[in-house]
Amino acid sequence: MHRIVIIFLLFTAIGLVKSHNEGGEWSCQSESENRIEAIFKPGVITIDGHIDDWKDIDGFEFSLLPALDPHQDDAYKAGSMTVKAVHDGNNVFFMLEVNGKYAYSKGDNNKCPSVALMFQVGENATYHNMGGCKESPDSCSSKTCKGTEVDIMHLSIGNAIPGRLYGGNPIDNREGHGGDRFGHLVDLYTWTPHCRHLDGISPTGNDTSAQNDWKGAWWHDSFKVHSGFVAEDSPYSSEDQDGKYFFEFSRPLRTMDRLQQDVQFSIGQPTNMAVAFWYPEDGKPWHGSGHYSISCNWVPLDLPSSSSLATRAGSGNSSGAISAFSLLFSLVAFCSSIFVGYYVSKNKSNPFTPMDRL
């Protein structure tokens, strides 16, 4: 039975990219200044789909362009995506906000919105072709594609109740793979779009040390209930309601990965990442390669330390103090000049008395 579950999870994960075929020559004109900063904010974020706790966190806005043909003319019609991120020294947290009319079909992931985060793991891993290994699906492996590994977290919400937590769970983690049989928030790795596997699963054999270290939840602001949904409440809202989708995720900065399948975050060191979004436009199911992306290249993710933020704030305060002192000095000088002018003019009004008349 366990083997059947693993095969099913693997099949559904691979199904997302089975049609990842490109037409024409690849062209990318990314904005080099694009960055995402996960500032140090301990004890602030709860992964529950609600975003009230993100209101004081600055977001980074990106246009959503087709991943395989990134032209502005074909951008996601409903608008851009805002990405927010923080860390608390132990975990990193992400929030994705994107406009979209409510679309939900229980049990059918391709008729529901879906999101993924992708991170560079191998030193030679490229954004284009999800790692960029040149091997065919029959020959790709940890040896033949060494150095091109990328880490992917993918959430499909067709079986995920809004506001409920999904991802790593004791049952799937006990079996040693990156699956999630309850809500399909899965932990994957890949070398190319056609060589994609759940953590712990490989063409040459499985390794039961793997885990799904991600947690996540989703929400749509058309929902009228905030105390909590259950499966019987599906579809949770009316179809085509205007609003925004919110997706929240968290993961430890470091994991127990020994297989080069997880990205390892380090405070003070940038990590390359990407964000993908699928949406069933005009009610039509999306297909694996029909996703949008926030960039056609890697976007650096910065995780500054608390001390670097304090230094930055201190530098700003120092500059402010200098500006205030300069203003005060100028004001004193101006007042002094008025006093001196008044004093001189007053003395000039006294009549001159020659010495011989004294």
Side-chain angles (χ1 to χ4, degrees):
M1 178 65 181
H2 291 168
R3 183 179 179 86
I4 294 174
V5 171
I6 293 174
I7 292 174
F8 172 76
L9 291 170
L10 182 60
F11 175 78
T12 55
I14 293 176
L16 298 177
V17 293
K18 64 184 180 181
S19 59
H20 199 291
N21 298 314
E22 299 176 13
E25 185 177 348
W26 171 253
S27 175
C28 172
Q29 295 180 349
S30 63
E31 298 183 21
S32 58
E33 66 272 15
N34 281 345
R35 300 186 80 87
I36 298 170
E37 185 176 55
I39 63 173
F40 179 69
K41 280 280 188 180
V44 174
I45 303 302
T46 301
I47 302 299
D48 56 5
H50 304 293
I51 63 163
D52 294 344
D53 43 5
W54 289 93
K55 65 180 185 302
D56 296 326
I57 309 299
D58 291 335
F60 302 86
E61 189 173 353
F62 299 90
S63 296
L64 286 169
L65 304 182
L68 301 188
D69 192 15
H71 292 109
Q72 193 64 45
D73 293 343
D74 300 317
Y76 176 60
K77 297 176 183 178
S80 58
M81 173 182 282
T82 297
V83 181
K84 296 186 178 184
V86 300
H87 76 89
D88 63 4
N90 296 303
N91 299 278
V92 61
F93 303 83
F94 298 93
M95 192 279 286
L96 314 179
E97 176 183 324
V98 60
N99 290 323
K101 291 186 176 182
Y102 187 65
Y104 187 84
S105 181
K106 185 177 180 180
D108 192 341
N109 285 325
N110 296 65
K111 288 187 177 181
C112 306
S114 182
V115 292
L117 305 179
M118 183 170 76
F119 302 90
Q120 181 182 5
V121 177
E123 292 185 5
N124 301 319
T126 60
Y127 163 85
H128 182 50
N129 277 334
M130 298 167 66
C133 181
K134 305 300 183 184
E135 297 292 326
S136 68
D138 296 330
S139 60
C140 59
S141 70
S142 58
K143 291 184 178 180
T144 60
C145 292
K146 185 175 178 62
T148 63
E149 304 89 353
V150 298
D151 183 15
I152 296 174
M153 183 287 309
H154 188 273
L155 170 63
S156 297
I157 68 172
N159 289 305
I161 302 170
R164 301 298 181 181
L165 198 64
Y166 293 97
N169 61 81
I171 297 176
D172 290 310
N173 281 347
R174 190 184 307 124
E175 296 180 6
H177 59 77
D180 173 18
R181 68 187 66 196
F182 301 106
H184 200 82
L185 195 162
V186 293
D187 194 353
L188 308 139
Y189 72 97
T190 181
W191 304 295
T192 76
H194 308 287
C195 298
R196 174 178 172 137
H197 308 278
L198 292 170
D199 281 12
I201 309 296
S202 77
T204 56
N206 302 339
D207 189 306
T208 57
S209 69
Q211 300 279 294
N212 183 347
D213 295 288
W214 287 94
K215 304 289 186 184
W218 72 279
W219 197 258
H220 190 269
D221 62 7
S222 67
F223 297 151
K224 305 303 182 184
V225 175
H226 293 275
S227 58
F229 287 111
V230 295
E232 288 73 18
D233 297 323
S234 176
Y236 315 110
S237 183
S238 301
E239 192 78 7
D240 290 331
Q241 289 288 310
D242 289 331
K244 294 181 179 181
Y245 283 94
F246 305 102
F247 304 91
E248 286 187 293
F249 306 105
S250 70
R251 205 210 75 171
L253 296 177
R254 313 290 290 186
T255 72
M256 299 289 287
D257 172 49
R258 305 196 307 267
L259 306 172
Q260 193 70 347
Q261 295 174 357
D262 285 345
V263 62
Q264 303 299 329
F265 300 105
S266 296
I267 295 174
Q269 298 294 324
T271 298
N272 285 329
M273 70 172 294
V275 182
F277 177 65
W278 290 259
Y279 186 80
E281 296 180 279
D282 301 320
K284 299 176 182 177
W286 52 259
H287 56 89
S289 61
H291 56 292
Y292 297 94
S293 180
I294 64 170
S295 177
C296 59
N297 208 341
W298 292 120
V299 175
L301 169 70
D302 295 318
L303 290 92
S305 64
S306 58
S307 59
S308 67
L309 292 175
T311 300
R312 193 186 310 172
S315 175
N317 292 338
S318 175
S319 299
I322 292 173
S323 299
F325 178 78
S326 299
L327 178 61
L328 179 61
F329 182 81
S330 300
L331 184 60
V332 170
F334 177 70
C335 292
S336 298
S337 65
I338 293 176
F339 176 77
V340 171
Y342 172 76
Y343 180 78
V344 171
S345 64
K346 182 179 180 181
N347 287 341
K348 282 184 177 181
S349 64
N350 295 328
F352 175 70
T353 304
M355 290 295 292
D356 59 357
R357 295 182 183 179
L358 294 176

